[in-house]
Amino acid sequence: MARRKIKGRDLAGQIGITEQNLSLLKSGKVKGVRFETLARLCAALDCQPGDLLEASDISKG
């Protein structure tokens, strides 16, 4: 977001989610994300899904 100079409020509105949900996505406090939401994020930020996601060890949870 910083590289694209876009505010959370603007990005959330552009992709059709609430600022609160965007905040949860950014903090990693969600267990999943819809492919449609991921696609909209990537389109808005001009990036690939791998730029936004990181793997976690599900065996710990």
Side-chain angles (χ1 to χ4, degrees), residues 34-55:
R34 292 180 183 204
F35 287 121
E36 182 179 351
T37 302
L38 182 58
R40 288 179 182 185
L41 276 168
C42 289
L45 297 174
D46 190 27
C47 66
Q48 295 295 312
D51 298 329
L52 301 175
L53 302 173
E54 76 178 36

Side-chain angles (χ1 to χ4, degrees), residues 1-60:
M1 286 174 45
R3 281 189 240 149
R4 302 287 181 234
K5 296 181 182 177
I6 187 169
K7 294 181 180 180
R9 176 182 312 147
D10 298 331
L11 180 59
Q14 188 174 347
I15 64 172
I17 64 173
T18 65
E19 287 182 70
Q20 182 177 5
N21 283 340
L22 179 61
S23 178
L24 290 171
L25 286 170
K26 287 172 36 181
S27 68
K29 293 183 180 180
V30 294
K31 294 185 185 228
V33 60
R34 292 180 183 204
F35 287 121
E36 182 179 351
T37 302
L38 182 58
R40 288 179 182 185
L41 276 168
C42 289
L45 297 174
D46 190 27
C47 66
Q48 295 295 312
D51 298 329
L52 301 175
L53 302 173
E54 76 178 36
S56 64
D57 187 353
I58 60 172
S59 64
K60 292 181 181 179

